[in-house]
Amino acid sequence: MSKVIIIGAGGVGRVVASKCADNPDVFSEILLASRTLSKCDTIAREVGKGRIKTAQVDADNVSEVVALINQFKPELVINVALPYQDLPIMDACLETGVNYLDTANYEPKDVAKFEYSWQWAYHERFKKKGIMAVLGCGFDPGVSGIYTAYAAKHHFDEIHYLDIVDCNGGDHGKAFATNFNPEINIREITQPGRYWENGKWVETKPFEIKSALTYPNIGKRNSYVLYHEELESLVKNFPTIKRARFWMTFGDEYLTHLRVIQNIGMSRIDPVKYKGVDIIPLEFLKAVLPDPGDLGENYTGETSIGCRIKGLKDGKEQTYYIWNNCSHQVAYQETGTQGVSYTTGVPAMLGAMMVLTGKWSGKGVFNVEEFNPDPFMEKIGEHGLPWNEVFNIDLEV
């Protein structure tokens, strides 16, 4: 039995808190903290089963996080705050000697760029301190890497082609809304695309590569190649990969709104003067768009996320597709959040469980695919995200 601090009280934090509270045999004491205490209190009241304490903390402030850790004395900090806050929270874990887990890699606030180099640079310090940092334990990144590790362990001698496919086939009834933090979401998808091929990165224009892919229970959806952080770690940890890409679906109406947002300058992340005050247009836009945490009640349909893999097994070419479909309505009925938050929060809880029960161990900084995938895969279904697999089909990619 172990004590944990969860930092972040958005939709994902709500799911993590709910799922940790469901498993008192592992999570003996839970502290949920964020900048806004009232959000923590609401989550604790609505899904905490009477087991969640709350606190206020500014995750940008290392000394505040250190003080909170020293007061509560957890074995693990689960970071589901903003990606800007990864490094301050890692710094606090280093200072206090506490294990760390997150769901998305660090990106600086003033540059629309994300990569693992900043967090990988912590490896020796975490190793010397005798603690572990687990990076990217959501769904993608996260389960997508664990699916890949599972395929490599059980079904392939060499993985040659990896395509991670992410479809949100749901409908929230809004003219325009993002399924997670609007600021992070819009920064991510408006960057140039990038994929790995023949030992190097190939850069594309945003939404340049498009294909209509078929998703289980959903059908054909227009899918676009984006850059996503798990590609960086997967091609490092599985060097036989010749090509790795990440695909995500977008509807025409969504893309039209996105073009307008860019064309009128609302996606800018540099400050502009308004009535003598510096404001960031994208931060203002975030304030007026629907809160992703409030989309769940009327959300219908499913998400479908998986890995389509081609490689060699016993000298023969083989194809393999492994995926999960998650119902927005079922996710909302259980936790009060939509499926995108659910598919991120469940793996974060389960990754924490893997660490606290010793199924995943090590000293230093690790991506999830570096651990044994089997104990995670054995449990993910019973915690709400069952997986499916098929062999030797047309992968469409």
Side-chain angles (χ1 to χ4, degrees):
M1 295 175 59
S2 305
K3 300 168 68 172
V4 294
I5 292 178
I6 304 164
I7 300 180
V12 176
R14 183 184 182 93
V15 175
V16 176
S18 176
K19 288 292 190 177
C20 287
D22 284 340
N23 291 276
D25 54 325
V26 176
F27 303 98
S28 58
E29 294 184 50
I30 306 160
L31 178 65
L32 176 63
S34 81
R35 193 187 305 268
T36 308
L37 181 61
S38 60
K39 290 184 177 181
C40 299
D41 290 339
T42 298
I43 291 171
R45 182 177 65 254
E46 293 180 352
V47 300
K49 292 89 177 173
R51 300 194 54 245
I52 296 177
K53 299 176 182 178
T54 63
Q56 190 278 334
V57 71
D58 179 357
D60 293 312
N61 188 317
V62 176
S63 62
E64 281 194 29
V65 180
V66 167
L68 186 69
I69 293 172
N70 284 334
Q71 178 183 358
F72 191 69
K73 301 187 184 308
E75 289 188 40
L76 175 70
V77 172
I78 304 172
N79 169 21
V80 286
L82 295 174
Y84 319 138
Q85 296 164 328
D86 288 0
L87 299 191
I89 297 173
M90 290 181 77
D91 286 334
C93 287
L94 264 178
E95 186 170 334
T96 55
V98 172
N99 296 310
Y100 167 93
L101 179 144
D102 67 29
T103 63
N105 72 355
Y106 173 74
E107 59 181 271
K109 194 172 179 63
D110 55 351
V111 181
K113 178 182 181 180
F114 52 97
E115 60 184 40
Y116 277 120
S117 61
W118 291 287
Q119 291 179 276
W120 284 344
Y122 279 67
H123 178 72
E124 290 302 324
R125 281 176 284 169
F126 267 72
K127 184 177 179 180
K128 184 176 180 181
K129 194 75 173 182
I131 56 176
M132 174 167 58
V134 179
L135 307 183
C137 195
F139 205 108
D140 48 352
V143 176
S144 56
I146 295 167
Y147 281 173
T148 304
Y150 182 81
K153 181 175 180 178
H154 295 285
H155 302 312
F156 290 91
D157 299 320
E158 292 185 7
I159 291 177
H160 290 168
Y161 299 96
L162 169 65
D163 287 273
I164 299 167
V165 291
D166 183 329
C167 172
N168 182 6
D171 181 9
H172 46 54
K174 306 289 185 183
F176 182 85
T178 60
N179 293 294
F180 57 95
N181 184 289
E183 189 179 354
I184 303 302
N185 186 210
I186 291 172
R187 282 166 59 119
E188 177 181 299
I189 65 176
T190 54
Q191 292 186 64
R194 196 157 61 119
Y195 64 92
W196 180 262
E197 189 167 36
N198 296 326
K200 64 180 181 180
W201 292 106
V202 179
E203 189 167 296
T204 68
K205 296 176 182 177
F207 309 107
E208 178 183 348
I209 299 177
K210 169 186 173 183
S211 184
L213 304 180
T214 305
Y215 295 87
N217 300 340
I218 295 171
K220 280 193 176 292
R221 292 295 174 97
N222 286 334
S223 309
Y224 300 83
V225 170
L226 306 178
Y227 175 66
H228 227 239
E229 62 253 48
E230 67 262 46
L231 298 180
E232 183 182 12
S233 66
L234 286 169
V235 299
K236 172 188 174 188
N237 290 315
F238 298 95
T240 63
I241 292 177
K242 297 178 180 179
R243 187 188 66 209
R245 299 179 295 191
F246 181 93
W247 302 79
M248 183 173 281
T249 60
F250 296 95
D252 292 340
E253 185 177 8
Y254 183 97
L255 292 178
T256 298
H257 278 87
L258 186 63
R259 282 193 293 270
V260 172
I261 287 168
Q262 291 179 279
N263 288 341
I264 63 175
M266 289 305 298
S267 63
R268 288 173 55 177
I269 60 174
D270 57 309
V272 298
K273 286 285 186 185
Y274 176 72
K275 294 187 176 181
V277 178
D278 281 339
I279 67 166
I280 306 294
L282 185 54
E283 291 181 357
F284 175 79
L285 180 66
K286 171 186 173 182
V288 299
L289 285 175
D291 184 338
D294 296 334
L295 296 176
E297 185 173 6
N298 298 311
Y299 224 133
T300 58
E302 302 179 350
T303 65
S304 183
I305 313 174
C307 296
R308 302 185 183 189
I309 299 171
K310 182 188 291 186
L312 295 178
K313 179 65 173 179
D314 298 327
K316 298 179 180 178
E317 187 175 271
Q318 177 166 276
T319 64
Y320 176 69
Y321 181 23
I322 180 170
W323 76 94
N324 162 265
N325 273 40
C326 178
S327 163
H328 287 292
Q329 291 172 310
V330 172
Y332 182 76
Q333 289 165 6
E334 182 186 345
T335 62
T337 61
Q338 36 86 355
V340 176
S341 294
Y342 190 87
T343 56
T344 305
V346 172
M349 178 284 298
L350 186 53
M353 185 180 288
M354 294 292 103
V355 172
L356 296 173
T357 58
K359 299 293 177 56
W360 289 356
S361 61
K363 309 300 180 187
V365 175
F366 304 92
N367 293 90
V368 293
E369 67 269 16
E370 296 179 76
F371 300 111
N372 180 8
D374 292 353
F376 187 99
M377 294 289 282
E378 289 167 5
K379 292 290 186 181
I380 188 73
E382 69 183 61
H383 290 294
L385 296 176
W387 48 278
N388 309 273
E389 61 182 355
V390 292
F391 295 85
N392 296 319
I393 62 166
D394 178 7
L395 298 178
E396 301 182 307
V397 289

